[in-house]
C-alpha cells in the first residue's frame, strides 16, 4: 500500500468514525421510518415507457418461461444449454412435487438455483407492484406463493430447496456427500427471504414473509459458531437479504404480531454477520485452482474433509471463486465469480451501514476502489473472464470480455449501497454508468429477449429468448424495478439528488411534506429542473450530484480519461450558483418556499474516451460517450467497420432521432477507411445494439487515426 493510499483510508476511517459518533450516517430507515421518501412516481420520457414494457411484457414473459412456455429446441445454442443443465422446463412443478412429499425421485426441472431465480423474479415483480398496482400480476404471484408455501409446509423444519429434496435429499446444505457450491441451498433461501420482504412491502401480505421467517429461524438454528454447523453461502446474496429482514422488523416491530411464526430479528442480523465473518474459516482444502474443479468437487463429495484430523466445526473451502480463500475483512481486491463477489460486497456494505464498524467500511471501500479503479469496463461491466465467470487481474480489460448482465447488476447494487454508506457522489457516477450501459443492454427494446454476456466487441450479437441458466432476466428485473428508489437518498436530514429521471415525489422531512417535481429529457438532453413545493417554508439541505464525467473526470481513479471541457451550470430561481462540488455534490442549504426551482445543465456534447496507459489493450483506442451513455458502432450502418480509424480531432455531431430505437441520440463523426478516405461514422447507444439488425457486429473501442 502506498503512503498516500493509506493516508486516504485513514482519513476515510476518521471521517466515518466522526460521523458515526454523531449518528449521521446510520440507516435512516431503521431509526425514523416516518421521516423519508414516500412514493416516487415516474414521469420520465426515457424510463417511463421502458418500465411499462418491463412490468407488462418482461415480467409475464419471464414467469411464462419459468412455467415452461417456450420451446427449448428453438435454436442450437439453447438446445445445447438445455442438454448441459438438464431438461429445464417448469420451475413451479418442482415446488408441487416437494409439496406432495416427493423426495429423491431423480427428477428436477432446471439447474439447482432455479428456485432462487423464481424468488428473484418475485422480488422484481414486487417492486413494480409497489409503484404500479396490477391485480392480475398480484394474483399470479399469490398463486406461486401458495405453491412455494405448500412445498415448505411439507418439511417439518421449514427447509426448502427443491433440487436437494428431489435429487439428493440426504445432502441438505451440501453435507454428507453433497456439494453446497452446486446445490445452492443457502443462496436459494436468501433469495426467498429477499422476495418475502419485498412482496410484503409492496402488498402488505405476509404469507411469503412467514415462509421467509420460518426458513430464517431454521437457518439460524442450524448455522453458526460450534456446536452449530459451519456453513456460509457458497453464492452470496443471502447476507444482504437477512439484513433486510432484520431491518424490516426493526423498523416495524408491530409486524411481529401479525406473524404466526416467532420473530427474533437480531438472530437474522447475527446470521448475516456470521456468514460474513466466517468466510475463510475452513480447512483450506480442496485447492480449487491447483486440483481443478472436477477433482476438488469429487474430493468434497467423498467427504474427505470430514476427518477428525481437521478438527471440529470444519468445512471445505469454496475457494477464490466464492470469495472464501481468506476472511472477508482481510480481502483487499475483488476476486472470483463476479456475481458472487459483487453481491458479497453489497451485503458487507449493508452490514457496514448498520454497524458502522470501521473495518467493514474500510474493506467495502477497498473492494469498491479496486473494482472501479482497476477492473471496471467503460460500460460499467465487471467480470472479464469467461472461465468461472470471474474478475480478471488489475487492468485486464479485453474487448471480448465476458461481462455478465448479473455481474453488472451486482456492481450497481454495490455502488448504490456504497453511496448510502459514504454519502459520496462517485458511487452513483458508477451506478449510473453500469445502469445505462451494461445493465440496459441486457434486454431487447421489445422486452422479451435477453443477454448473458455483454462484450465490447462482437461479430455476431444476439439476444436469446430463453437460456438453460436464465439468471440474468431476474437480476435485470430486480435492478430496474428498484431504480426509482435510487433517484433520491434521504439521509442525515439531507436530500441527495442522485439520478436525473423525471418524477414526482413526496418527501416527509421532520413531519413536513415536500413535493418534488423533476423534469428532464436526460440522457438525451442535459437540462434538469427540480421544483420544490413544501407545504410550509422549510429548511433542508438539497445535495445535487454533479457527475464526474461532466467535469471531465471519466473515472475516479483515472482508469479512463475524456476530452470533455464544457461547463456545468447550476441555477436557483434563475440565479447562478457556483459549481464546486464536495464529495460529488453541490449542497444548497436554505429555507425552501413553494415553487423554488433548481436548474442544472450538464454538458452532453459527445466526448472521446481513452484508457489509462496501464490498460495495454486500449493503447491507440478511443470510445465515445455522451452524458452517461456509452456509444457503439454497428456494422449495419458502418459498412467498413473493421477498417475504420476514428479521427478524434474532428468534433462529433449529435442529433435526436425520434423514430429510431424508440428515440435516441445518434452520434456521427469523422473516420478514415482502409483506402485512407475520409468517411462518416455512425454511433448508437451501446444499450440499443442488436435491435436494428439482430445478429450483427459492433465495436465500442475503435482504432484512433
Ligand atoms: Zn446471469
Amino acid at each position: 500500500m502506498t503512503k498516500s493510499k493509506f493516508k486516504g483510508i485513514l482519513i476515510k476511517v476518521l471521517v466515518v468514525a466522526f460521523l458515526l459518533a454523531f449518528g449521521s450516517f446510520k440507516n435512516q430507515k431503521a431509526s425514523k421510518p416516518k421521516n423519508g421518501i414516500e412514493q416516487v412516481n415516474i414521469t420520465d420520457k426515457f424510463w417511463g415507457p421502458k418500465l411499462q414494457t418491463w412490468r407488462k411484457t418482461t415480467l409475464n414473459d419471464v414467469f411464462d418461461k419459468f412455467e415452461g412456455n417456450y420451446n427449448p429446441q428453438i435454436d442450437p445454442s439453447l438446445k445445447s444449454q438445455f442438454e448441459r443443465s438438464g431438461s429445464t422446463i417448469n420451475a413451479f412443478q418442482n415446488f408441487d412435487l416437494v409439496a406432495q412429499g416427493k423426495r429423491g425421485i431423480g427428477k428436477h426441472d432446471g439447474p439447482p438455483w432455479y428456485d432462487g431465480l423464481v424468488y428473484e423474479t418475485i422480488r422484481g415483480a414486487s417492486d413494480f407492484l409497489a409503484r404500479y398496482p396490477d391485480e392480475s400480476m398480484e394474483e399470479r404471484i399469490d398463486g406461486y406463493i401458495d405453491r412455494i408455501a405448500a412445498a415448505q409446509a411439507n418439511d417439518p423444519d421449514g427447509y426448502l430447496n427443491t433440487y436437494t429434496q428431489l435429487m439428493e435429499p440426504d445432502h441438505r446444505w451440501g453435507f454428507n456427500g453433497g456439494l453446497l457450491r452446486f446445490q445452492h441451498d443457502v443462496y436459494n433461501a436468501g433469495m426467498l427471504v429477499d422476495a418475502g420482504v419485498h412482496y410484503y412491502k409492496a402488498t402488505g401480505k405476509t404469507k411469503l414473509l412467514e415462509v421467509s421467517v420460518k426458513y430464517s429461524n431454521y437457518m439460524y438454528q442450524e448455522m453458526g459458531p460450534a456446536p452449530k454447523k459451519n456453513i456460509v453461502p457458497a453464492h452470496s446474496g443471502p447476507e444482504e437479504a437477512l439484513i433486510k429482514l432484520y431491518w424490516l422488523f426493526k423498523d416495524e416491530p408491530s409486524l411481529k404480531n401479525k406473524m404466526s411464526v416467532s420473530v427474533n430479528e437480531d438472530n437474522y442480523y447475527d446470521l448475516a454477520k456470521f456468514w460474513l465473518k466466517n468466510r475463510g474459516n475452513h480447512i483450506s482444502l480442496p485447492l480449487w485452482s491447483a486440483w481443478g474443479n472436477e477433482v476438488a468437487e469429487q474430493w468434497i463429495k467423498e467427504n474427505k474433509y470430514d476427518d477428525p484430523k481437521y478438527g471440529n466445526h470444519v468445512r471445505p473451502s469454496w475457494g477464490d471463486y466464492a470469495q472464501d480463500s481468506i476472511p472477508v475483512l482481510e480481502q483487499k481486491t475483488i476476486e472470483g465469480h463476479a456475481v458472487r463477489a459483487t453481491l458479497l460486497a453489497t451485503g458487507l456494505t449493508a452490514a457496514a451501514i448498520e454497524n458502522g464498524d470501521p473495518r467493514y467500511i474500510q474493506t467495502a471501500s477497498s473492494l469498491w476502489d479496486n473494482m472501479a479503479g482497476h477492473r471496471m469496463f467503460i460500460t460499467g461491466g465487471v467480470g472479464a473472464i469467461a472461465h468461472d465467470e470471474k474478475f480478471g487481474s488489475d487492468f485486464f480489460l479485453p474487448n471480448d470480455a465476458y461481462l455478465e448482465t448479473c455481474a453488472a447488476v451486482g456492481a450497481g447494487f454495490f455502488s448504490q449501497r456504497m453511496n448510502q454508506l459514504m454519502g459520496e457522489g462517485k458511487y452513483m457516477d458508477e451506478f449510473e454508468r453500469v445502469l445505462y450501459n451494461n445493465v440496459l443492454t441486457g434486454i431487447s427494446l421489445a422486452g422479451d429477449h435477453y443477454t448473458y454476456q455483454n462484450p465490447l466487441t462482437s461479430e455476431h450479437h444476439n439476444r436469446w429468448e430463453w437460456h438453460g441458466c436464465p439468471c440474468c432476466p431476474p437480476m435485470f428485473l430486480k435492478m430496474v424495478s428498484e431504480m426509482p428508489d435510487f433517484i433520491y437518498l434521504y439521509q442525515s436530514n439531507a436530500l441527495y439528488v442522485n439520478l436525473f429521471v423525471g418524477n414526482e415525489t413526496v418527501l416527509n422531512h421532520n413531519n413536513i411534506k415536500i413535493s418534488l417535481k423533476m423534469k428532464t429529457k436526460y440522457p438525451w438532453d442535459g437540462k434538469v429542473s427540480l421544483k420544490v413545493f413544501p407545504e410550509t417554508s422549510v429548511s433542508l439541505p438539497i445535495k445535487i450530484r454533479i457527475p464526474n464525467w461532466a467535469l471531465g473526470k471519466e473515472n475516479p481513479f483515472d482508469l479512463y480519461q475524456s476530452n470533455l471541457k464544457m461547463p456545468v451550470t447550476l441555477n436557483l430561481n434563475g440565479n447562478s450558483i457556483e459549481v464546486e462540488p464536495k464529495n460529488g455534490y453541490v449542497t444548497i442549504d436554505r429555507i425552501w418556499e413553494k415553487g423554488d426551482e433548481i436548474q442544472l445543465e450538464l454538458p452532453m456534447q459527445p466526448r472521446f474516451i481513452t484508457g489509462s496507459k496501464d490498460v495495454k489493450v486500449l493503447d491507440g483506442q478511443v470510445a465515445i460517450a455522451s452524458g452517461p451513455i456509452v456509444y457503439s458502432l454497428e456494422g449495419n450502418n458502418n459498412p467498413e467497420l473493421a477498417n475504420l480509424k476514428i479521427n478524434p480531432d474532428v468534433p462529433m455531431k449529435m442529433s435526436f432521432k425520434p423514430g429510431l430505437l424508440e428515440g435516441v441520440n445518434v452520434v456521427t463523426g469523422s473516420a478514415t477507411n482502409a483506402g485512407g478516405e475520409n468517411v462518416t461514422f455512425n454511433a448508437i447507444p451501446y444499450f440499443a445494439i442488436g435491435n436494428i439488425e439482430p445478429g450483427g457486429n459492433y465495436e465500442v473501442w475503435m482504432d484512433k487515426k
Side-chain angles (χ1 to χ4, degrees):
M1 185 187 292
T2 63
K3 220 173 169 185
S4 67
K5 200 169 173 194
F6 177 74
K7 209 171 141 196
I9 290 171
L10 188 69
I11 289 170
K12 246 179 230 170
V13 169
L14 288 174
V15 166
V16 169
F18 171 83
L19 291 170
L20 286 166
F22 294 92
S24 286
F25 275 83
K26 280 252 168 182
N27 182 277
Q28 205 59 239
K29 261 186 182 171
S31 50
K32 288 179 186 169
K34 291 211 173 89
N35 204 12
I37 301 281
E38 297 181 354
Q39 186 82 10
V40 179
N41 292 317
I42 298 296
T43 56
D44 194 69
K45 288 197 169 65
F46 179 82
W47 289 103
K50 290 188 191 310
L51 290 168
Q52 294 300 339
T53 300
W54 298 330
R55 77 176 188 87
K56 289 178 187 162
T57 303
T58 311
L59 261 186
N60 283 301
D61 183 62
V62 171
F63 278 136
D64 283 350
K65 288 168 183 170
F66 274 127
E67 287 188 30
N69 293 330
Y70 62 91
N71 176 6
Q73 312 293 332
I74 43 180
D75 75 53
S77 72
L78 188 60
K79 193 165 170 269
S80 72
Q81 280 288 340
F82 277 79
E83 278 159 6
R84 221 176 306 152
S85 60
S87 70
T88 304
I89 298 292
N90 190 338
F92 297 97
Q93 185 177 277
N94 296 327
F95 293 102
D96 297 343
L97 291 169
V98 169
Q100 291 156 19
K102 301 280 194 313
R103 298 294 184 271
I105 57 171
K107 176 186 164 37
H108 176 270
D109 281 0
W113 47 95
Y114 229 31
D115 295 0
L117 304 186
V118 166
Y119 304 142
E120 288 187 61
T121 310
I122 293 177
R123 167 183 155 178
S126 302
D127 287 359
F128 280 118
L129 283 176
R131 223 170 304 282
Y132 307 104
D134 178 340
E135 235 172 82
S136 71
M137 178 54 68
E138 200 170 321
E139 236 170 69
R140 183 170 195 168
I141 295 172
D142 286 339
Y144 296 149
I145 290 172
D146 288 344
R147 294 161 82 177
I148 293 164
Q152 184 192 43
N154 197 273
D155 184 273
D157 302 315
Y159 169 86
L160 176 59
N161 190 33
T162 65
Y163 175 83
T164 303
Q165 289 165 304
L166 297 173
M167 303 295 285
E168 317 182 33
D170 300 332
H171 299 162
R172 187 173 290 197
W173 314 125
F175 278 100
N176 192 32
L179 181 67
L180 182 63
R181 210 171 101 151
F182 181 65
Q183 290 169 228
H184 284 68
D185 301 50
V186 188
Y187 169 77
N188 288 342
M191 296 307 96
L192 171 63
V193 171
D194 204 26
V197 170
H198 282 252
Y199 195 65
Y200 165 72
K201 285 191 172 177
T203 62
K205 293 179 182 170
T206 54
K207 189 165 186 174
L208 193 62
L209 186 63
E210 290 201 2
V211 173
S212 305
V213 168
K214 192 173 175 196
Y215 207 163
S216 300
N217 289 346
Y218 177 51
M219 286 196 287
Y220 178 75
Q221 179 196 315
E222 287 275 286
M223 303 171 196
K228 296 186 196 180
K229 295 189 179 76
N230 181 351
I231 296 173
V232 300
H235 189 307
S236 280
E239 297 89 345
E240 191 201 29
L242 270 281
I243 292 171
K244 282 158 76 176
L245 185 65
Y246 160 73
W247 279 338
L248 175 68
F249 286 106
K250 207 174 125 190
D251 284 357
E252 215 182 309
S254 63
L255 176 57
K256 289 184 204 177
N257 306 331
K258 292 186 201 156
M259 308 291 289
S260 65
V261 283
S262 69
V263 176
N264 184 341
E265 67 272 24
D266 291 340
N267 292 350
Y268 315 140
Y269 179 42
D270 285 348
L271 182 57
K273 279 188 295 184
F274 172 78
W275 286 336
L276 288 165
K277 281 187 191 157
N278 203 42
R279 280 181 183 273
N281 174 20
H282 47 59
I283 60 168
S284 301
L285 290 172
L287 301 174
W288 287 91
S289 46
W291 299 4
N293 286 357
E294 232 168 274
V295 176
E297 286 177 6
Q298 199 49 40
W299 188 86
I300 292 172
K301 285 182 189 166
E302 286 167 13
N303 269 330
K304 295 279 174 62
Y305 63 92
D306 195 13
D307 185 310
K309 74 179 174 198
Y310 296 122
N312 292 323
H313 205 245
V314 297
R315 67 170 173 88
S317 163
W318 303 123
D320 254 4
Y321 171 77
Q323 303 74 46
D324 194 32
S325 293
I326 54 172
V328 170
L329 297 180
E330 291 171 23
Q331 295 180 15
K332 301 271 184 282
T333 55
I334 193 153
E335 303 291 348
H337 185 263
V339 185
R340 286 170 164 81
T342 49
L343 292 180
L344 174 67
T346 306
L348 174 74
T349 311
I353 289 167
E354 178 59 27
N355 65 20
D357 184 329
R359 294 167 309 162
Y360 279 59
I361 295 168
Q362 189 171 322
T363 304
S365 297
S366 301
L367 294 176
W368 193 86
D369 291 358
N370 178 246
M371 177 178 83
H374 296 84
R375 300 181 178 189
M376 185 174 272
F377 289 71
I378 191 65
T379 50
V382 295
I385 298 175
H387 171 68
D388 279 351
E389 307 180 312
K390 67 188 176 192
F391 276 95
S393 52
D394 287 354
F395 306 114
F396 180 71
L397 301 164
N399 288 324
D400 60 353
Y402 195 67
L403 308 182
E404 186 183 343
T405 307
C406 286
V409 171
F413 281 135
F414 179 25
S415 292
Q416 191 277 330
R417 284 279 183 217
M418 284 302 290
N419 174 257
Q420 216 180 334
L421 176 67
M422 308 296 279
E424 289 183 38
K426 66 180 178 191
Y427 301 108
M428 291 314 280
D429 293 351
E430 297 313 314
F431 174 89
E432 190 181 49
R433 177 185 300 280
V434 78
L435 176 70
Y436 280 93
N437 299 293
N438 201 325
V439 172
L440 202 45
T441 204
I443 193 159
S444 63
L445 289 183
D448 57 359
H449 281 69
Y450 313 91
T451 65
Y452 201 113
Q453 302 164 40
N454 303 282
L456 305 188
T457 176
S458 175
E459 284 300 312
H460 183 73
H461 176 270
N462 245 329
R463 292 185 179 83
W464 36 263
E465 186 174 330
W466 201 232
H467 196 284
C469 171
C471 51
C472 297
M475 279 289 273
F476 172 86
L477 287 168
K478 287 199 304 188
M479 168 56 80
V480 296
S481 60
E482 198 173 19
M483 179 281 290
D485 293 332
F486 300 151
I487 297 172
Y488 301 105
L489 174 70
Y490 177 74
Q491 189 157 269
S492 322
N493 274 317
L495 180 73
Y496 292 72
V497 179
N498 273 335
L499 297 176
F500 310 116
V501 175
N503 71 85
E504 293 183 6
T505 290
V506 176
L507 166 67
N508 199 329
H509 172 59
N510 299 328
N511 292 323
I512 295 171
K513 296 223 177 198
I514 305 172
S515 298
L516 303 161
K517 281 187 186 162
M518 190 188 288
K519 280 191 178 166
T520 181
K521 289 181 190 151
Y522 195 81
W524 310 132
D525 184 293
K527 292 191 195 80
V528 181
S529 154
L530 178 63
K531 284 191 177 168
V532 182
F533 299 91
E535 54 186 6
T536 168
S537 305
V538 64
S539 164
L540 168 73
I542 297 186
K543 298 164 91 70
I544 311 290
R545 181 173 70 89
I546 309 297
N548 269 315
W549 60 256
L551 303 168
K553 195 167 174 62
E554 195 64 34
N555 174 274
F557 304 92
D558 291 327
L559 183 60
Y560 303 104
Q561 282 116 26
S562 90
N563 67 344
L564 188 71
K565 287 189 186 70
M566 293 291 289
V568 174
T569 62
L570 189 61
N571 285 284
L572 175 67
N573 297 329
N575 301 315
S576 150
I577 292 179
E578 209 169 341
V579 179
E580 276 185 6
K582 287 200 178 69
N583 291 328
Y585 295 92
V586 171
T587 304
I588 309 176
D589 191 357
R590 70 193 299 267
I591 296 179
W592 297 93
E593 308 286 352
K594 278 192 185 73
D596 281 342
E597 183 179 16
I598 299 167
Q599 288 171 314
L600 172 71
E601 185 163 2
L602 298 168
M604 306 302 271
Q605 283 79 357
R607 61 190 189 272
F608 287 114
I609 297 172
T610 50
S612 145
K613 62 174 172 30
D614 295 310
V615 188
K616 299 282 174 269
V617 70
L618 297 184
D619 195 20
Q621 302 271 293
V622 67
I624 298 157
S626 157
I629 303 285
V630 172
Y631 276 74
S632 175
L633 276 67
E634 284 192 311
N636 64 60
N637 56 0
N638 294 284
E640 299 174 276
L641 182 60
N643 298 312
L644 290 186
K645 285 190 191 332
I646 302 278
N647 184 355
D649 297 328
V650 179
M652 291 174 280
K653 287 184 185 145
M654 186 166 75
S655 57
F656 186 70
K657 302 274 182 221
L660 182 69
L661 300 163
E662 296 177 352
V664 294
N665 276 347
V666 297
V667 171
T668 55
S670 165
T672 308
N673 67 10
E677 296 161 317
N678 275 344
V679 294
T680 300
F681 72 78
N682 299 290
I684 61 161
Y686 172 71
F687 76 77
I689 54 170
N691 283 287
I692 295 174
E693 234 172 63
N697 57 329
Y698 70 87
E699 303 284 345
V700 170
W701 289 98
M702 295 288 296
D703 282 342
K704 199 162 45 169
K705 189 179 158 189

